Amino acid sequence: MEFIHNNNQIAVYTPDYLVVAEVTFPDLDGNTVNVNHTFVDDVLRGQGIAGKLMEELVQELRQSGKKAVLTCTYAIKWFENHPEYADVLVK
């Protein structure tokens, strides 16, 4: 599965470019993003795709040096269950 890193989005597309999974994180300022949406299409649910999106997000945030504020309910729960990634969150 290929994760495509776009500006403020990491997504998985079908061969005809339909989004079947994504996490979006618009900039709040030059150093902070808002993780505001996670989506996985029904055909991919139960395969751990949302968690893999979060791991891709963590890598991107670490590389960019940005921190995240969480407003997406899935992201909030995922980060609660994975405290080893708390270094990318606004304290």
Side-chain angles (χ1 to χ4, degrees), residues 10-77:
I10 300 169
V12 176
Y13 295 93
T14 64
D16 41 336
Y17 299 104
L18 298 174
V19 174
V20 289
E22 74 175 342
V23 59
T24 58
F25 44 99
D27 291 323
L28 293 176
D29 58 41
N31 300 313
T32 313
V33 299
N34 174 17
V35 181
N36 66 348
H37 174 71
T38 304
F39 164 76
V40 176
D41 189 90
D42 289 342
V43 299
L44 295 177
R45 294 222 173 134
Q47 299 179 42
I49 304 301
K52 290 176 184 171
L53 283 168
M54 292 294 112
E55 290 173 352
E56 291 282 322
L57 171 67
V58 167
Q59 288 179 352
E60 184 162 318
L61 291 172
R62 286 178 176 163
Q63 289 174 354
S64 70
K66 292 184 178 183
K67 299 289 185 181
V69 171
L70 308 175
T71 57
C72 167
T73 54
Y74 177 82
I76 292 167
K77 188 71 170 169

